[in-house]
Structures are given as C-alpha cells and as structure tokens.
Amino acid sequence: MIDVAVADGREEFRPLPELSPEERRQIVTLPASIGRLTAVRSLVLYGSNLVRIPPEIGGMTNLEEFSPYTSHRLHWFPYELTRCARLADSTVSTRAIYGNYKYRPPFPRLLPPGDTVLDVENLDPARWGTTAARTCSVCDGSIPATGPHQAWLSRIVATDVLPLLVNACSQACLDALPAGAKGHLPTPHRGGAIEQPPPR
C-alpha cells in the first residue's frame, strides 16, 4: 500500500478504508517505510487500532495535517513527529493520551539503558515502545548497543499538546531538548510516580 502511494505521489494517505474490519483490528503500528511518503500532505488514521507510530514518520517532510482521531489506543507519539516542520493541523483524541490536562493519566515508567548489549533492530515494544531504535530522536546519531536513553516530553505539535517519546543516543541529547509545553511538565522525565500539574 505504501509502495503504491509512493509511486503515484498522492498527497493524502488514508489507508484504513481499503482494509476489512478484521484487517484494521490487526494493525497496531505502521511500517517504517511510512517515512518514504514525502509527497503526502494529509495522513488520516481515523478510528485506527494503532498503539504506536514509528519514528520514521519524521521523514514525511511535506506533512501538513495529521488526523489519528478516535484512535483510542494511541496514548503517545514519537518525538520525531516534531521534524515534520510543515505540520500545522492535528486532530487527536487528547483524552486518551498520557498527561492530558483534563485527567493527567500517568506516564509509564521508562528505565535507563543497562549494560546488556541489545539488538536495537529487534527491540521488545512492551519495554521500549518501539520495535527498533536506529537513530537518536535528537541528533540523528546512532543509538548505542545497550539501547536508547529514553524520556517523555509533552510539546505542542500542530494544534495539540502531545506526549512524545524520545529515544536518545546519550544523556547529553536529553539535556539538549527544549522545554515542555506550558501547563505540562517542563523538562524531560521518565514517567512513573512523577508529580504532574493538577488537572484543569
């Protein structure tokens, strides 16, 4: 499906209507090849069963509209979404996302990288939130063999404040991140029992 969209240069990518209900239920993430959709201006994922978006979405350099509305299993997004410099309009079910200002649901606890050498091309998504961490979300450098330095950061992306998962190559890259959105935790954090601002 992505190969066809790349070949015909379409500006809107709306994959779900082409699938059966059963096929839609089985799709919990998008392929890394989504980054090849450089002509796409509008990405519509309305009502999906997705639980994560791959960091390669940052390669969609012409993306202007992002609509995963009513995708209630999407609780966070990759930091690489901030690389879509033209992204101006988003429609997200914000009550479902971590740290939203109405309910402040907790962020899952992120663990620091250990001493064990990992296959960063085949990570456990339940542990790392992604199946692969090839490059740093911040500097685009290589992720070390022991795994990424991870953090949460809530930032304005298009028209919504989104909880973003950062996979960094070092603590220095985490320290270089910008401040969080107003009314949210101001610095990158590892989630868990961290105290959030009160709901509004």
Side-chain angles (χ1 to χ4, degrees), residues 103-176:
Y103 302 108
R104 301 297 187 191
F107 290 81
R109 176 69 175 165
L110 298 174
L111 301 175
D115 298 324
T116 304
V117 173
L118 305 171
D119 180 359
V120 294
E121 294 283 344
N122 293 284
L123 296 174
D124 177 3
R127 161 67 173 86
W128 298 98
T130 183
T131 56
R134 301 175 182 88
T135 57
C136 177
S137 300
V138 182
C139 75
D140 220 22
S142 297
I143 294 293
T146 50
H149 294 251
Q150 293 188 305
W152 296 111
L153 184 65
S154 295
R155 289 191 60 196
I156 295 176
V157 178
T159 48
D160 294 291
V161 175
L162 300 181
L164 304 171
L165 178 62
V166 181
N167 287 311
C169 64
S170 65
Q171 183 61 46
C173 275
L174 291 183
D175 294 341

Side-chain angles (χ1 to χ4, degrees), residues 64 66 87-92 94 155-162:
E64 297 175 355
F66 178 51
L87 185 55
D89 187 22
S90 58
T91 309
V92 177
T94 53
R155 289 191 60 196
I156 295 176
V157 178
T159 48
D160 294 291
V161 175
L162 300 181

Side-chain angles (χ1 to χ4, degrees), residues 8-199:
D8 65 24
R10 71 185 65 177
E11 295 188 354
E12 180 183 78
F13 188 58
R14 187 188 295 258
L16 297 182
E18 300 181 32
L19 305 175
S20 70
E22 179 59 28
E23 288 172 327
R24 294 182 201 179
R25 283 191 293 271
Q26 293 175 2
I27 297 176
V28 296
T29 189
L30 298 174
S33 56
I34 192 173
R36 296 170 55 211
L37 297 175
T38 54
V40 168
R41 298 180 183 274
S42 176
L43 176 59
V44 182
L45 301 169
Y46 185 90
S48 79
N49 198 40
L50 296 173
V51 298
R52 59 186 177 273
I53 301 286
E56 287 80 6
I57 194 174
M60 298 181 68
T61 51
N62 280 308
L63 189 64
E64 297 175 355
E65 178 186 5
F66 178 51
S67 181
Y69 192 59
T70 69
S71 296
H72 296 300
R73 297 183 69 196
L74 269 180
H75 304 307
W76 58 273
F77 299 86
Y79 186 79
E80 285 80 355
L81 191 58
T82 64
R83 297 183 182 182
C84 300
R86 297 188 178 186
L87 185 55
D89 187 22
S90 58
T91 309
V92 177
S93 296
T94 53
R95 293 188 181 192
I97 61 177
Y98 298 141
N100 74 74
Y101 72 92
K102 290 186 178 179
Y103 302 108
R104 301 297 187 191
F107 290 81
R109 176 69 175 165
L110 298 174
L111 301 175
D115 298 324
T116 304
V117 173
L118 305 171
D119 180 359
V120 294
E121 294 283 344
N122 293 284
L123 296 174
D124 177 3
R127 161 67 173 86
W128 298 98
T130 183
T131 56
R134 301 175 182 88
T135 57
C136 177
S137 300
V138 182
C139 75
D140 220 22
S142 297
I143 294 293
T146 50
H149 294 251
Q150 293 188 305
W152 296 111
L153 184 65
S154 295
R155 289 191 60 196
I156 295 176
V157 178
T159 48
D160 294 291
V161 175
L162 300 181
L164 304 171
L165 178 62
V166 181
N167 287 311
C169 64
S170 65
Q171 183 61 46
C173 275
L174 291 183
D175 294 341
L177 288 166
K182 183 179 179 181
H184 295 260
L185 291 168
T187 57
H189 60 91
R190 287 205 175 107
I194 191 167
E195 184 176 355
Q196 300 186 57

